[in-house]
Amino acid sequence: MEMSDRIRKVLDFLDGYGISYEMHTHPPLPTIELALEYWKNIDSVHCKNLFFRNHKGNRHYLVVFECHKDFDIHALERILHQGKLSFASSERMERCLGLLPGSVSPLGLINDIDLSDADPKELFPDGHRVKLFLDSDLRDAEYLSFHPCDNTASLVLSNEDFIRFLGIWGGEYEWLDGFFQESPCSDMSL
């Protein structure tokens, strides 16, 4: 399978910063239900990643949690005071995270670093377009897996390396507790 430019960009970034990973290639996996069949032999916590925008369209939020959980979007809306959140369009995914629907991943934050051409109205005070929210249960995972901005592969990173990655990105992230509930995986997009 030929490696996409999106995957190559992520791998080059991780290699450049000495962040270790294990890569698994597979057919395109746009949903958790499909992905579980390919992930069954990968020893890591597999994550569901959702990308939202506020009602004004000037704030973007990435939410990452274990794939067997559901997320209470209304609880996040209440703490953000940004009005109703909705899924970001494919154009916003491409512009903010350099990825396409079905491939949402925190590894797309490599595209939220050099924002010299960004609309200042979209930037948080830290100079980034995206704020990241993480399920607090992920802190206990030894390994985490994510798509490398393309749903034809999954990368496994140690939790320690993932936290290093977030430090390199430099944006704001917050651990959330009580926003996620166990549920059977459904045919929800990644």
Side-chain angles (χ1 to χ4, degrees), residues 1 4 6-7 24-31 34-35 38-39 99-105 146-154 190:
M1 181 181 294
S4 75
R6 291 175 202 279
I7 293 174
H24 300 268
T25 59
H26 43 65
L29 302 175
T31 66
L34 292 171
Y38 290 90
W39 289 343
L99 48 78
L100 301 173
S103 301
V104 176
S105 169
F146 311 103
H147 287 314
C149 298
D150 184 308
N151 63 14
T152 62
S154 296
L190 295 170

Side-chain angles (χ1 to χ4, degrees), residues 81-165:
H81 304 289
Q82 288 288 316
K84 184 175 166 56
L85 296 177
S86 59
F87 287 107
S89 67
S90 58
E91 180 276 326
R92 287 174 189 274
M93 288 181 188
E94 173 69 31
R95 182 167 40 87
C96 297
L97 295 173
L99 48 78
L100 301 173
S103 301
V104 176
S105 169
L107 298 175
L109 294 169
I110 66 171
N111 298 297
D112 186 47
I113 294 176
D114 177 18
L115 300 175
S116 54
D117 62 342
D119 181 347
K121 293 178 194 169
E122 281 190 334
L123 300 178
F124 284 95
D126 65 9
H128 293 271
R129 270 195 280 236
V130 179
K131 179 172 180 178
L132 176 64
F133 292 100
L134 300 156
D135 178 357
S136 62
D137 288 346
L138 295 179
R139 288 182 189 176
D140 299 327
E142 188 174 354
Y143 294 98
L144 300 165
S145 69
F146 311 103
H147 287 314
C149 298
D150 184 308
N151 63 14
T152 62
S154 296
L155 293 187
V156 177
L157 281 73
S158 71
N159 204 321
E160 180 180 312
D161 278 334
F162 179 62
I163 298 302
R164 278 190 45 225
F165 169 81

Side-chain angles (χ1 to χ4, degrees), residues 46-59:
H46 305 292
C47 295
K48 190 184 295 185
N49 311 282
L50 303 176
F51 190 52
F52 298 104
R53 61 174 280 250
N54 68 350
H55 76 284
K56 290 182 182 178
N58 65 336
R59 293 286 181 258

